[in-house]
């Protein structure tokens, strides 16, 4: 793949990531923010009962609108650029798939490896859940699980490709998936458990917040896969010119 195509795919990846970010922003505002407000209300009520309220440096209305939009859209833009470069590397190396199928597979695998696997070990928590003194440790553990998941996914892909000539594509894929799941299970068992949810925190609110966080990521990744696959297909496999257009171009 030449540098022009890589640059074009990078730009299209960023545009697709930005568009997917808009979709994720809608989901975050409609589904996620009500649960964040409820969690903040719980935290404030708990703080007032202990007489240790804090001064609000940034208004909640600004956080839930401009702050939310800025964070998600910038994340979508950067995410799209990185995913576009990953697509350039993956195209033709993970099987005989076209641009649309490669983008869909890459998005699905990325969602599982980058978000779902770390999420199942260290799920997202709303405000008022977690001790402030342990935020650095919790963040480190989460990103460690993410890195391990991505490396294990890459290793499983390589394993499947190497086993395909001898076992066939179906069996090789099954072995690679089983190996990935087993390795992730070992990582789950080795890494420490983090459970800092207050006993009086509403279980239904915690569950709804985590589902909304998952929905945001699913929207982002699936939206990117569909949009970028379409853009990449048009770039790499342009539609043939119609007969009248071809004659006009020849003239």
């Amino acid at each position: 793949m030449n540098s022009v195509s890589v640059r074009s795919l990078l730009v299209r990846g960023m545009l697709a990531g930005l568009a997917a970010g808009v979709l994720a922003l809608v989901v975050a505002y409609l589904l996620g923010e009500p649960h964040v407000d409820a969690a903040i209300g719980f935290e404030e009520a708990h703080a007032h009962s202990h007489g240790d309220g804090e001064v609000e440096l940034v208004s909640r209305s600004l956080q839930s609108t401009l702050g939310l939009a800025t964070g998600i859209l910038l994340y979508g833009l950067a995410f799209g650029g990185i995913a576009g470069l990953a697509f350039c590397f993956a195209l033709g190396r993970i099987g005989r798939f076209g641009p649309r199928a490669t983008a869909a597979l890459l998005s699905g695998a990325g969602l599982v490896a980058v978000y779902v696997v770390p999420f199942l070990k260290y799920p997202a928590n709303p405000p008022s859940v977690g001790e402030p003194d342990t935020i650095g440790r919790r963040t480190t553990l989460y990103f460690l699980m993410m890195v391990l998941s991505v490396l294990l996914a890459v290793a499983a892909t390589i394993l499947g490709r190497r086993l395909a000539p001898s076992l066939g594509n179906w069996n090789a894929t099954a072995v690679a998936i089983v190996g990935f799941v087993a390795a992730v299970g070992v990582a789950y068992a080795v890494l420490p458990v983090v459970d800092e949810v207050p006993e009086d925190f509403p279980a239904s609110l915690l569950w709804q917040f985590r589902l909304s966080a998952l929905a945001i990521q699913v929207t982002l990744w699936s939206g990117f896969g569909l949009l970028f696959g379409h853009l990449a297909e048009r770039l790499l496999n342009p539609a043939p010119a119609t007969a009248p257009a071809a004659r006009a171009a020849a003239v």
Side-chain angles (χ1 to χ4, degrees):
M1 186 176 295
N2 58 51
S3 60
V4 176
S5 297
V6 172
R7 183 166 58 251
S8 299
L9 288 170
L10 172 63
V11 173
R12 283 163 173 77
M14 295 176 69
L15 292 175
L18 185 61
V22 173
L23 298 176
L25 174 61
V26 174
V27 175
Y29 186 78
L30 296 179
L31 294 183
E33 286 304 303
H35 304 317
V36 174
D37 288 335
I40 291 175
F42 173 86
E43 183 180 28
E44 291 176 347
H46 185 74
H48 291 160
S49 66
H50 290 80
D52 53 357
E54 296 182 358
V55 178
E56 187 178 47
L57 299 179
V58 180
S59 67
R60 174 63 189 143
S61 60
L62 185 61
Q63 294 176 13
S64 62
T65 53
L66 183 59
L68 179 67
T70 301
I72 291 183
L73 295 181
L74 287 179
Y75 176 81
L77 194 66
F79 153 79
I82 296 173
L85 293 177
F87 172 88
C88 295
F89 178 80
L91 185 62
R93 291 185 171 90
I94 59 175
R96 298 179 179 179
F97 301 107
R100 286 180 185 267
T102 300
L105 289 172
L106 185 65
S107 297
L111 173 63
V112 171
V114 176
Y115 188 78
V116 173
V117 170
F119 176 85
L120 293 177
K121 177 63 177 179
Y122 302 114
N125 287 327
S128 76
V129 172
E131 297 293 335
D133 295 339
T134 64
I135 186 171
R137 175 176 177 270
R138 287 184 280 119
T139 302
T140 300
L141 288 173
Y142 180 85
F143 280 103
L144 176 59
M145 187 68 245
M146 181 189 298
V147 171
L148 286 175
S149 177
V150 172
L151 292 178
L152 291 173
V154 172
T157 303
I158 295 174
L159 176 64
R161 292 285 294 169
R162 291 187 175 181
L163 292 178
S166 58
L167 298 181
N169 290 333
W170 179 264
N171 292 332
T173 301
V175 170
I177 292 175
V178 170
F180 174 75
V181 172
V184 168
V186 172
Y188 279 2
V190 171
L191 290 176
V193 176
V194 176
D195 185 8
E196 299 180 351
V197 180
E199 293 183 0
D200 55 346
F201 192 86
S204 60
L205 176 58
L206 180 64
W207 176 248
Q208 291 166 359
F209 176 85
R210 289 175 174 175
L211 283 181
S212 63
L214 181 61
I216 294 169
Q217 292 294 327
V218 169
T219 301
L220 180 67
W221 285 87
S222 59
F224 172 82
L226 293 174
L227 294 170
F228 180 72
H230 173 70
L231 295 176
E233 181 79 23
R234 292 186 60 182
L235 174 67
L236 300 176
N237 297 327
T242 60
R247 287 195 297 268
V251 174

